[in-house]
Amino acid sequence: MRVRVVLALLAALAGTGSAHRTTNQQDDGWRALAGASLTARYQGVDSLRAARALVTLDAVGRLPGLRETGMRAVLTVAPTREVMDSLVGGRVPEWAGAVAIPERMEMIIPGGRFWPASPLEEARILRHEWAHLALAYEMGNLRIPRWFNEGYAEWTAGAWLDGGARRLGMALAFGDGPPLDSLTLAWPRERVHAELAYLLSASVIQYLVESSGTRGLETFLAEWKRRRSYDAALRGVYGATPAQLESDWRRWVKRRYGWLIVLSDSALFWAVLAAALTAMFLVRRRYRREQMARLRAGEPPDTPPFWVMPDDATEASRAESPVDPRGPSR
């Protein structure tokens, strides 16, 4: 996936954006570029970002598990944070890279002047928001649980492969993740907690894919759409209730991404190994010191009494006995 993203970005920078048709400037100051699957709106100097986004998203193709094709959406490049908030209809978290609005089949991304993301991170964010729109287009007006919506988008964007599993393992090693219901009812807004929520949700999709492949995920979404019930489709395809799914997933994710993946991280592994070797060295040195002290305590003195000559012993005893100043007693 990284190769496709890099090639798409290089193509955009090389001038493939000239294949997009620039429409006339609208009365509100917006310009537009028409791509194969969406139209990009921009203002001022954001034409390069709009063209790059078109190339990236046109190269995505059909997403895993989805059957519908022919979706067309609008991408708006907001020139300022205030414009982005007004287009979304509320304040966007500072850490949010972009926003998808399925009701309008529109995604809104920040302009280059206030979005310091790298090209690869930009492509990942675009794919994430595109997955939101594609999933909503596939499922129609069905209500999609928040964790499934965000998990599918995060899993599709490839963040799960780009160190996401390791970060989840680090989080799970030092605590337990929140239940899926809490991700549905109160999606966290703080960056650290939100990243953990995204990874936890993506791990559920990964669990489903490992259980039955992308074909199983496609069958599940089709059954969900046909029955118009998430619970019924889950029981019909995977043979589990939502509670059973969460229980099985929790056991799987702790076993798969717990301490084992944390210790498999090279930097942490060598740090733990160095600390263990240092501790072993200190314990060994202390043991040897104590052993040497016991050996020295049991050694005979340098001049034992049976080696001392009689005269020497007499003089030694005189030197050690006290002298009475009153002289010898009578």
Side-chain angles (χ1 to χ4, degrees):
M1 190 189 78
R2 280 176 175 265
V3 175
R4 290 182 63 185
V5 170
V6 172
L7 291 177
L9 293 178
L10 290 177
L13 294 175
T16 55
S18 59
H20 301 123
R21 181 172 56 87
T22 305
T23 62
N24 294 330
Q25 183 172 352
Q26 302 173 6
D27 295 337
D28 54 3
W30 292 96
R31 291 180 176 272
L33 289 174
S37 55
L38 75 161
T39 300
R41 301 194 308 154
Y42 68 93
Q43 289 183 352
V45 297
D46 286 323
S47 59
L48 180 60
R49 180 172 293 277
R52 191 165 60 216
L54 285 181
V55 173
T56 300
L57 294 176
D58 282 344
V60 169
R62 189 167 67 93
L63 297 180
L66 304 185
R67 296 179 178 180
E68 294 290 345
T69 58
M71 181 187 75
R72 189 165 187 87
V74 175
L75 181 142
T76 300
V77 184
T80 64
R81 177 64 65 175
E82 291 74 20
V83 172
M84 186 173 183
D85 291 342
S86 64
L87 292 173
V88 173
R91 184 173 179 79
V92 180
E94 293 293 333
W95 51 265
V99 177
I101 307 176
E103 295 80 7
R104 305 198 311 243
M105 291 304 294
E106 179 182 9
M107 72 169 69
I108 302 172
I109 65 174
R113 287 167 291 181
F114 69 104
W115 192 15
S118 64
L120 286 177
E121 179 69 10
E122 177 182 345
R124 187 190 69 79
I125 293 174
L126 288 172
R127 190 179 176 92
H128 178 105
E129 303 304 332
W130 183 255
H132 280 311
L133 299 181
L135 183 61
Y137 185 79
E138 175 86 11
M139 305 306 292
N141 60 353
L142 292 178
R143 178 186 174 276
I144 304 174
R146 184 67 184 273
W147 68 264
F148 190 96
N149 199 345
E150 295 294 347
Y152 178 81
E154 190 72 1
W155 178 79
T156 304
W160 184 251
L161 301 176
D162 190 18
R166 181 181 61 82
R167 294 196 302 271
L168 178 59
M170 292 286 291
L172 292 176
F174 298 101
D176 194 7
L180 295 180
D181 286 344
S182 70
L183 303 185
T184 302
L185 299 176
W187 191 260
R189 295 182 65 87
E190 294 80 5
R191 184 183 186 90
V192 175
H193 298 293
E195 288 179 351
L196 175 58
Y198 280 124
L199 292 175
L200 283 169
S201 302
S203 70
V204 184
I205 308 301
Q206 179 69 17
Y207 170 66
L208 294 177
V209 171
E210 289 194 9
S211 300
S212 59
T214 55
R215 183 60 183 272
L217 181 62
E218 180 178 338
T219 303
F220 167 67
L221 292 175
E223 189 70 4
W224 184 359
K225 185 177 181 181
R226 185 182 70 86
R227 295 192 180 190
R228 305 189 65 81
S229 171
Y230 164 77
D231 294 2
L234 189 65
R235 287 192 297 268
V237 177
Y238 294 104
T241 64
Q244 291 172 338
L245 170 65
E246 181 161 356
S247 177
D248 295 342
W249 159 74
R250 283 189 177 279
R251 286 195 299 268
W252 172 84
V253 77
K254 288 181 181 179
R255 182 177 64 252
R256 180 76 179 275
Y257 302 105
W259 278 106
L260 182 60
I261 195 171
V262 174
L263 295 178
S264 66
D265 181 78
S266 58
L268 183 60
F269 172 77
W270 290 113
V272 172
L273 181 60
L277 291 176
T278 302
M280 291 173 61
F281 170 76
L282 295 176
V283 171
R284 182 66 177 173
R285 186 173 66 174
R286 180 179 178 181
Y287 170 77
R288 296 189 65 179
R289 285 181 177 178
E290 294 176 352
Q291 188 179 34
M292 185 63 68
R294 288 194 298 269
L295 291 175
R296 288 177 178 175
E299 289 181 351
D302 295 336
T303 56
F306 55 83
W307 285 357
V308 180
M309 298 299 292
D311 294 341
D312 295 338
T314 303
E315 293 179 0
S317 62
R318 288 178 181 178
E320 292 177 359
S321 62
V323 178
D324 192 348
R326 297 174 296 177
S329 60
R330 296 184 181 180

